[in-house]
Amino acid sequence: DDPPDKATASNTASALALAFACITPAAVLGPTYALLPGAAAAALLASGLARSSVKKITPGARVLGLLITQLYVATIGATSGTINNISVAGIPLALFSLFQLSIHFLVLKFANRFFPKTLDNRSLALASSAAVGGPSAALAMCASQGWTNLILPALLVGFSGYFSGTFIALSLFDLFYRSVPY
C-alpha cells in the first residue's frame, strides 16, 4: 500500500474523481448560480460522512488543493488591474475591512467572555483565522502551530463559511435581480 503521507497518482486521481463527484450533481440538478453552494455542500457532506475513506486520498487532495489555491491567488492578482484602480478602490475597501474586523473582534471578545470554559483561546484564534482568512489561512495557522488534530475542523469551518456566505449572497442577488424593473 501507499504510504499515507505521500501523494501518488492513485490518490491524486481519487481526489480528483471525488471532486468531480461533488460537482456533477450540483451542475446537473441546479441552475448555474447554485453550482458553487451545491458542490460545497456535497464536499462537506463527503468529508464529514466518509472521513476514513477521505483520509486515504488526503495526500493527493493536498497537492490538488495547493495547485488550485495558487491558481486562485494568481487569478486575483491578474484581475486586480492597474495600480491606479487599486488605489482608487483601496480606501473604501480598507474602511469596510476595518469595520468588518472590528465587529469580528467584538464578537470574539463576547464569545471569550461569556463562554470561557467551552471556547479556549486556541480554538478562538483558529476560528477567527478561518472566518477572516478562509480555510487556507486556517490551514496555515494549524501547520505553523503544529495543531494537526485541528486541520480538518478548521477547514470545515472555513469552507462552511464560504458555503453559507456564497449561498446567502447568491440568494440575495437573485432576490434583488428579480425585483429591479428594466
Side-chain angles (χ1 to χ4, degrees):
D1 245 58
D2 300 326
D5 61 338
K6 196 165 189 167
T8 63
S10 175
N11 61 27
T12 304
S14 297
L16 193 58
L18 179 62
F20 279 113
C22 291
I23 292 171
T24 303
V28 171
L29 297 176
T32 305
Y33 63 85
L35 176 62
L36 186 61
L44 285 172
L45 189 65
S47 64
L49 294 178
R51 187 172 178 178
S52 62
S53 298
V54 171
K55 203 179 257 190
K56 294 175 187 171
I57 63 170
T58 298
R62 185 176 295 125
V63 169
L64 289 173
L66 287 172
L67 175 67
I68 291 169
T69 301
Q70 294 302 318
L71 288 172
Y72 170 74
V73 170
T75 303
I76 296 296
T79 60
S80 294
T82 64
I83 298 294
N84 187 36
N85 290 344
I86 293 170
S87 64
V88 169
I91 293 173
L93 285 175
L95 291 173
F96 175 73
S97 292
L98 178 65
F99 173 75
Q100 183 181 17
L101 291 173
S102 299
I103 298 297
H104 176 78
F105 178 74
L106 291 173
V107 169
L108 281 179
K109 291 301 280 181
F110 173 81
N112 196 19
R113 178 178 211 117
F114 291 103
F115 304 107
K117 293 184 180 179
T118 56
L119 297 172
D120 59 302
N121 286 337
R122 182 172 73 164
S123 297
L124 281 173
L126 190 55
S128 173
S129 178
V132 172
S136 56
L139 179 62
M141 184 176 202
C142 285
S144 70
Q145 297 298 319
W147 300 337
T148 55
N149 62 326
L150 293 176
I151 289 175
L152 184 61
L155 290 176
L156 289 175
V157 166
F159 282 117
S160 297
Y162 278 178
F163 167 70
S164 59
T166 301
F167 182 75
I168 291 167
L170 290 173
S171 298
L172 289 174
F173 169 78
D174 190 46
L175 176 73
F176 291 133
Y177 185 74
R178 290 181 193 195
S179 65
V180 175
Y182 291 101

